């Protein structure tokens, strides 16, 4: 889950109509309950992005062993939200 992955993830969820705040909320959910908890949510992100997010979280849950790992996943989700926010802001500013 690196920076290149965050950019690709942001593009993916942007195409699915996800808002940055949904990813930020998911990051907070991971911080509060852990990666495994978030992976078990019926709809970790709204709409069609739920399937994509569940895939990310299930993959991460296979390797996360402790709260430090959960924190890393949450920070990655924050990075995806930040890239997505930049995309949305740029799109809205472009005439």
């Amino acid at each position: 889950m690196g920076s290149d992955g965050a950019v690709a993830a942001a593009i993916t969820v942007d195409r699915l109509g996800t808002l940055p705040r949904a990813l930020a909320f998911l990051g907070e959910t991971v911080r509060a309950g852990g990666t495994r908890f978030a992976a078990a949510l019926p709809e970790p992100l709204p709409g069609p992005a739920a399937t994509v997010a569940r895939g990310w979280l299930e993959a991460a849950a296979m390797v996360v062993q402790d709260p430090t790992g959960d924190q890393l996943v949450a920070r990655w989700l924050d990075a995806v939200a930040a890239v997505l926010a930049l995309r949305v802001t740029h799109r809205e500013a472009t005439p």
Side-chain angles (χ1 to χ4, degrees), residues 14-67:
D14 187 24
R15 291 178 179 164
L16 296 172
T18 304
L19 297 175
R21 67 178 178 246
L23 282 155
F25 184 78
L26 183 56
E28 290 303 316
T29 303
V30 169
R31 281 184 185 86
T35 305
R36 285 177 183 80
F37 171 79
L41 292 171
E43 195 172 26
L45 287 177
T51 303
V52 172
R54 191 172 303 100
W56 298 337
L57 293 166
E58 288 173 350
M62 287 191 262
V63 295
V64 168
Q65 307 258 332
D66 55 24

Side-chain angles (χ1 to χ4, degrees), residues 6 8 12 22 29 44 58 69-70 90 94:
T12 300
T29 303
E58 288 173 350
D70 292 328
H90 176 71
T94 304

